[in-house]
Amino acid sequence: EGSASGSGIIVGENDTELLIATNYHVIEDAVSLTVNFIDGTDATATVKGTDPDMDLAVIALSLESLSVETREAITIAKLGNSDDLKIGDAVIAIGNALGYGQSMSGGYISALNREIDMEDGSTGVFIQTDAAINPGNSGGALLNIKGEVIGINSSKIGGNAVEGMGFAIPISAAQPILENLML
């Protein structure tokens, strides 16, 4: 057994659960999930839904498990529109790079609709950025300068040999899938 880390984006809540989007490869084969919040507290989560083909997952944790202080320290992310992006737009990648804790890197949109051959032989379409997206950033947010989520970072795409190229799942493609996984 081992442990691994990744990132996530708070995308919603219902009457009893806080819902967090991440990459499927972040939670794949996990025996247990622990979410660490900005205030340093931890909470146990469960898998709510997955879409391995799109490398997306939603995890859930009980709202009752969160203290008042934690609830006040967090917020549901505002989702943007990745269809409106242009090459050269400034972006910010946030996440848990290399498992060191919260970090951010900045860059620009390098390419849109970048087709990448996946391990399973399928082809995915991604946002390419020069913002650093390293292991641990997977599942974290790619933000526009308004602070809106326009992509979900994936360090798995491109592999370790790539330098200066990060990839993210466009939020406009991910959002309908995430909404379905949150049910």
Side-chain angles (χ1 to χ4, degrees), residues 148-165:
E148 299 168 330
V149 177
I150 49 93
I152 298 175
N153 301 328
S154 181
S155 66
K156 185 175 181 180
I157 302 161
N160 293 335
V162 174
E163 187 174 320
M165 293 174 64

Side-chain angles (χ1 to χ4, degrees), residues 30-108:
V31 175
S32 64
L33 298 172
T34 302
V35 176
N36 179 263
F37 291 99
I38 193 165
D39 65 351
T41 61
D42 293 334
T44 301
T46 58
V47 176
K48 181 86 171 173
T50 64
D51 186 327
D53 293 337
M54 280 292 289
D55 194 24
L56 293 171
V58 171
I59 62 173
L61 53 99
S62 167
L63 288 171
E64 290 181 356
S65 69
L66 302 177
S67 69
V68 172
E69 293 80 16
T70 299
R71 294 285 309 268
E72 290 174 353
I74 62 175
T75 188
I76 296 172
K78 182 173 180 173
L79 303 184
N81 184 347
S82 57
D83 293 338
D84 292 341
L85 295 173
K86 293 178 179 40
I87 294 173
D89 285 351
V91 292
I92 300 165
I94 59 173
N96 181 23
L98 303 177
Y100 290 135
Q102 292 184 0
S103 65
M104 65 173 275
S105 63
Y108 299 95

Side-chain angles (χ1 to χ4, degrees), residues 111-123:
L112 296 168
N113 304 312
R114 179 68 76 202
E115 291 188 9
I116 304 290
D117 293 329
M118 307 302 285
E119 292 175 1
D120 65 2
S122 66
T123 300

